[in-house]
Amino acid sequence: MSRIGKNVVIVPEDVDFSIVGKVMSVKGKLGELSEVITDSVEVTYKDNKVSVRPINKDKTSLSQWGLVRSLINNMVIGVDTGFSKTLEVIGVGYRAAAEGDILNLQLGYSHDIKVAIPKEITVKCAKPTEIFISGFNKQKVGQFAAEIRSLRKPEPYKGKGVRYSDEYVRQKEGKKK
């Protein structure tokens, strides 16, 4: 029994949810998302509630059960309120600036790093040491934030680098004389 899959997803009034064949689509004030339903689960929509049930009791159906329910929940939350990640740029001379659809990063290398911002994501830099990423697709927001962080991961001795705002970097002790 899946503890995640057995819960129903409540769809808000201002979100349109539809299932056509094996494609479910969610449309809200922030955008529109669609996903193909696997053959191992059954999705029903009734009275602004979406329920997911496995078709069989085999391992693939049971593993897809909670996954599909989580995907539906993330789609509904995304088009209604959206998702966001905040990154901090820590280090002397490290800075970030969003210029149109390009994010310009200075991370201590001999050159600036220019990263193209995807269309469905908005990036704001209120301060030169803070990057705010938001969008309605949870996977794309998290993937873009992870790609930015991977350009200069936080190092354990001084803590310099790009990190999530809620991330804790454990400081190591330096070498002794």
Side-chain angles (χ1 to χ4, degrees):
M1 191 76 178
S2 173
R3 288 184 281 194
I4 295 172
K6 67 182 178 183
N7 298 327
V8 296
V9 178
I10 298 170
V11 180
E13 292 292 327
D14 57 339
V15 174
D16 296 329
F17 186 89
S18 64
I19 302 171
V20 178
K22 283 290 182 184
V23 177
M24 60 183 166
S25 60
V26 182
K27 190 173 187 180
K29 61 185 175 191
L30 295 179
E32 183 175 357
L33 293 170
S34 63
E35 186 78 31
V36 177
I37 304 169
T38 62
D39 294 330
S40 56
V41 295
E42 178 186 10
V43 179
T44 56
Y45 177 61
K46 187 177 180 184
D47 299 330
N48 285 352
K49 292 181 182 176
V50 181
S51 61
V52 182
R53 283 183 308 198
I55 291 177
N56 301 325
K57 295 290 183 192
D58 60 337
K59 189 173 183 180
T60 58
S61 294
L62 293 176
S63 63
Q64 294 288 316
W65 184 18
L67 171 74
V68 171
R69 190 259 177 210
S70 293
L71 289 174
I72 293 169
N73 191 41
N74 288 340
M75 289 167 59
V76 170
I77 292 171
V79 298
D80 189 34
T81 58
F83 295 101
S84 64
K85 293 255 185 203
T86 305
L87 297 172
E88 293 176 346
V89 181
I90 297 172
V92 177
Y94 289 15
R95 59 179 56 91
E99 301 154 354
D101 59 346
I102 292 177
L103 180 64
N104 189 10
L105 298 165
Q106 296 174 346
L107 298 176
Y109 297 114
S110 61
H111 59 283
D112 291 358
I113 300 171
K114 296 185 187 310
V115 180
I117 301 170
K119 288 185 169 58
E120 47 286 316
I121 292 176
T122 58
V123 176
K124 295 177 186 167
C125 295
K127 295 187 260 180
T129 59
E130 191 173 84
I131 305 168
F132 184 74
I133 303 168
S134 62
F136 58 87
N137 192 336
K138 185 176 186 177
Q139 193 272 331
K140 290 191 177 179
V141 169
Q143 181 68 35
F144 187 70
E147 288 171 3
I148 298 300
R149 183 183 178 273
S150 71
L151 295 173
R152 178 72 91 169
K153 289 184 181 176
E155 54 99 12
Y157 295 103
K158 289 186 178 179
K160 297 190 324 183
V162 180
R163 67 172 84 163
Y164 299 112
S165 62
D166 57 349
E167 180 180 7
Y168 173 72
V169 178
R170 189 165 168 241
Q171 300 280 316
K172 286 185 180 179
E173 192 175 343
K175 65 180 185 180
K176 304 241 184 343
K177 281 192 172 183

